[in-house]
């Protein structure tokens, strides 16, 4: 009880709980709430109990991550850990289904906004929001204890990192991506199927299009999330050897109605990751600067610099407009906008020049 109460306190997410950590749900409520899902033969009561005991991480909570988290939370996945580095903005609302206008107005971090929204429709599961950028230095801590990892990211760098971690730990993960009207997904079952690096030894050329250059249909996002969430249910209920699991790379273009499926049933011999077990992305040094997808902005990592928002607010007042809440501080210094997180990480909007972003950070936050 205490640890759950503490967890709720630390995340700000209110959760109604039963009497022990082991019993995260009330069986009678469970039957009622999930009755239509239990009636489905593929799940049943036994499957529902497995879902309640399951622990799933969703990395990235933008459009795909929101849809995945919403579906799995409503399905009764017992513990969902949501990792996201970003905050909600108005342009997200067209497709990121867990957020609303108030989240955008207050720049609430997506992990926090998602956890709040989920707690409002399913208070019987545990949501663990992590406002962090998944990098080699923190991946062990962020994914520890999870049995399945779902991809809600928007970049291959993070996907290769997840792939290395999952193959190294023999953990299943599900790749999902959507851009324009195109959606693609793959189940990676280490020891059985191909991994991401088997199929794409390098970032695929076709995927260099981003939401910014090609736009995105919310229906493409929901399609890929629906397929991936269903594969997650099969995996949790039937295990990683379930014959129901898809063992192909599946892609759709919803606008042209093209559909393709490539076998991924066997690993590629000599694959860097699953064949040679050369986990270069896992071993990679942490990345000091990242230009974000879909934005004219640069991210600065400064993990060793806890920020006192009240103090920083006072310090920045003479230099521009400052505003903060419990999770982020925003500072406008024309033409730049800096968003500072409690651990010292910052997103600087208005430039793609990493040296300039670094110098703005050094001048206003610290070097
Ligand atoms: Zn491989």
């Amino acid at each position: 009880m205490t640890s759950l109460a503490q967890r709720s306190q630390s995340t700000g997410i209110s959760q109604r709980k039963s009497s022990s950590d082991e019993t995260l749900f009330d069986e009678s409520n469970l039957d009622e709430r999930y009755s239509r899902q239990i009636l489905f033969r593929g799940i049943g009561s036994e499957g529902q109990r497995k879902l309640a005991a399951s622990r799933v991480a969703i990395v990235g909570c933008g459009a795909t991550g929101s849809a995945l988290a919403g579906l799995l939370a409503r399905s009764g996945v017992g513990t969902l850990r949501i990792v996201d580095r970003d905050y909600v903005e108005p342009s997200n609302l067209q497709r990121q289904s867990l957020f609303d206008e108030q989240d955008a107005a207050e720049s609430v971090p997506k992990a926090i906004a998602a956890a709040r929204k989920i707690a409002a429709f399913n208070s019987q599961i545990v949501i663990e929001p992590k406002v962090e950028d998944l990098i080699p230095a923190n991946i062990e801590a962020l994914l520890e204890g999870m049995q399945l990892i779902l991809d809600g990211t928007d970049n291959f760098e993070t996907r290769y990192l997840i792939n290395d971690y999952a193959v190294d730990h023999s953990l299943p993960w599900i790749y999902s991506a959507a851009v324009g009207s195109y959606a693609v997904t793959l189940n990676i079952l280490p020891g059985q199927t191909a991994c991401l690096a088997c199929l794409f030894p390098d970032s695929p050329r076709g995927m260099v299009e981003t939401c910014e250059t090609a736009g995105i249909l919310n229906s493409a996002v929901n399609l890929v999330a629906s397929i991936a969430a269903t594969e997650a249910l099969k995996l949790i209920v039937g295990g990683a050897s379930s014959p129901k699991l898809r063992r192909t790379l599946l892609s759709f273009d919803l606008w042209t109605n093209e559909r393709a499926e490539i076998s991924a049933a066997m690993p590629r011999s000599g694959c860097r990751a699953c064949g040679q077990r050369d986990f270069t992305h896992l071993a990679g040094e942490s990345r000091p600067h990242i230009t974000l997808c879909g934005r004219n902005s640069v991210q600065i990592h400064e993990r060793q610099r806890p920020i006192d928002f009240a103090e920083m607010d006072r310090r920045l007042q003479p230099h521009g407009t400052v505003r903060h809440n419990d999770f982020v501080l925003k500072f406008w210094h024309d033409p730049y906008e800096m968003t500072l997180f409690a651990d010292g990480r910052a997103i600087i909007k208005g430039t793609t020049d990493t040296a300039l972003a670094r110098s703005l950070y050094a001048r206003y936050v610290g070097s």
Side-chain angles (χ1 to χ4, degrees), residues 168-282:
D168 188 22
H169 290 72
S170 288
L171 265 184
W173 77 280
I174 302 178
Y175 157 62
S176 304
V179 64
S181 56
Y182 178 78
V184 57
T185 178
L186 170 73
N187 297 334
I188 290 107
L189 309 169
Q192 297 186 54
T193 69
C195 78
L196 190 70
C198 287
L199 295 179
F200 305 113
D202 303 298
S203 297
R205 283 169 178 275
M207 294 303 293
V208 295
E209 292 254 67
T210 66
C211 304
E212 180 165 70
T213 57
I216 186 158
L217 292 185
N218 56 20
S219 50
V221 167
N222 281 280
L223 173 76
V224 81
S226 290
I227 295 170
T230 310
E231 294 299 307
L233 297 185
K234 293 182 201 175
L235 204 146
I236 293 163
V237 171
S241 57
S242 166
K244 300 286 186 203
L245 285 165
R246 208 190 62 257
R247 288 170 168 80
T248 61
L249 177 80
L250 175 63
S251 62
F252 280 94
D253 188 315
L254 285 174
W255 207 254
T256 62
N257 299 314
E258 286 170 279
R259 177 185 188 281
E261 209 165 358
I262 297 168
S263 175
M266 297 294 292
R268 177 175 55 81
S269 79
C271 169
R272 170 196 54 82
C274 68
Q276 301 171 20
R277 302 189 68 80
D278 171 10
F279 303 123
T280 54
H281 296 271
L282 207 50

Side-chain angles (χ1 to χ4, degrees), residues 116-134:
R116 284 176 175 169
K117 204 61 49 75
I118 291 168
F121 66 73
N122 194 345
S123 60
Q124 294 177 316
I125 60 171
V126 175
I127 307 296
E128 301 177 349
K130 305 284 179 188
V131 185
E132 298 213 45
D133 187 21
L134 191 86

Side-chain angles (χ1 to χ4, degrees), residues 289 298-307 312 315-316 331 338-348 354-367:
H289 304 114
V298 174
Q299 176 178 242
I300 307 267
H301 284 272
E302 281 287 349
R303 341 210 108 257
Q304 311 308 329
R305 189 190 293 276
I307 304 288
M312 187 60 69
R315 205 207 296 178
L316 292 175
F331 170 53
M338 185 188 297
T339 304
L340 198 55
F341 295 85
D343 63 358
R345 193 166 54 86
I347 294 172
I348 297 168
T354 54
L356 173 65
R358 165 58 70 187
S359 89
L360 285 166
Y361 186 94
R363 189 181 321 156
Y364 294 112
V365 183
S367 52

Side-chain angles (χ1 to χ4, degrees), residues 12-332:
I13 311 306
S14 80
Q15 296 272 351
R16 199 177 52 215
K17 289 297 162 198
S18 51
S19 56
S20 80
D21 277 10
E22 271 62 55
T23 315
L24 295 175
F25 54 91
D26 174 336
E27 292 264 349
S28 57
N29 288 347
L30 182 111
D31 287 349
E32 164 89 24
R33 176 186 287 261
Y34 304 112
S35 59
R36 302 309 186 271
Q37 190 166 281
I38 290 169
L39 275 172
F40 176 70
R41 279 199 310 183
I43 306 280
S45 300
E46 178 63 20
Q48 194 62 50
R49 270 191 289 276
K50 287 182 182 171
L51 290 174
S54 68
R55 302 173 62 79
V56 176
I58 297 175
V59 180
C61 195
T64 308
S66 272
L68 287 169
L71 289 167
L72 294 181
R74 287 186 195 273
S75 298
V77 165
T79 300
L80 270 181
R81 186 174 297 165
I82 298 174
V83 182
D84 191 280
R85 66 188 181 190
D86 217 342
Y87 56 91
V88 183
E89 295 181 280
S91 69
N92 301 151
L93 301 178
Q94 166 249 0
R95 64 198 177 285
Q96 303 191 7
S97 55
L98 286 176
F99 312 133
D100 60 34
E101 291 178 357
Q102 192 165 348
D103 297 326
E106 294 173 4
S107 303
V108 179
K110 291 181 180 179
I112 301 293
R116 284 176 175 169
K117 204 61 49 75
I118 291 168
F121 66 73
N122 194 345
S123 60
Q124 294 177 316
I125 60 171
V126 175
I127 307 296
E128 301 177 349
K130 305 284 179 188
V131 185
E132 298 213 45
D133 187 21
L134 191 86
I135 54 171
N138 63 18
I139 189 167
E140 292 280 348
L142 287 175
L143 298 182
E144 191 193 8
M146 297 291 107
Q147 71 188 81
L148 169 63
I149 305 161
L150 298 183
D151 170 20
T153 70
D154 57 6
N155 66 88
F156 259 81
E157 193 174 18
T158 310
R159 289 178 180 126
Y160 284 131
L161 176 61
I162 294 170
N163 189 66
D164 275 8
Y165 177 87
V167 170
D168 188 22
H169 290 72
S170 288
L171 265 184
W173 77 280
I174 302 178
Y175 157 62
S176 304
V179 64
S181 56
Y182 178 78
V184 57
T185 178
L186 170 73
N187 297 334
I188 290 107
L189 309 169
Q192 297 186 54
T193 69
C195 78
L196 190 70
C198 287
L199 295 179
F200 305 113
D202 303 298
S203 297
R205 283 169 178 275
M207 294 303 293
V208 295
E209 292 254 67
T210 66
C211 304
E212 180 165 70
T213 57
I216 186 158
L217 292 185
N218 56 20
S219 50
V221 167
N222 281 280
L223 173 76
V224 81
S226 290
I227 295 170
T230 310
E231 294 299 307
L233 297 185
K234 293 182 201 175
L235 204 146
I236 293 163
V237 171
S241 57
S242 166
K244 300 286 186 203
L245 285 165
R246 208 190 62 257
R247 288 170 168 80
T248 61
L249 177 80
L250 175 63
S251 62
F252 280 94
D253 188 315
L254 285 174
W255 207 254
T256 62
N257 299 314
E258 286 170 279
R259 177 185 188 281
E261 209 165 358
I262 297 168
S263 175
M266 297 294 292
R268 177 175 55 81
S269 79
C271 169
R272 170 196 54 82
C274 68
Q276 301 171 20
R277 302 189 68 80
D278 171 10
F279 303 123
T280 54
H281 296 271
L282 207 50
E285 47 207 71
S286 66
R287 293 151 287 179
H289 304 114
I290 297 179
T291 303
L292 298 185
C293 156
R295 289 220 227 102
N296 180 25
S297 52
V298 174
Q299 176 178 242
I300 307 267
H301 284 272
E302 281 287 349
R303 341 210 108 257
Q304 311 308 329
R305 189 190 293 276
I307 304 288
D308 178 335
F309 285 153
E311 166 59 26
M312 187 60 69
D313 196 314
R314 272 192 298 279
R315 205 207 296 178
L316 292 175
Q317 284 295 348
H319 305 288
T321 308
V322 198
R323 186 157 65 89
H324 76 272
N325 57 28
D326 288 347
F327 310 105
V328 295
L329 178 144
K330 299 201 83 152
F331 170 53
W332 290 267

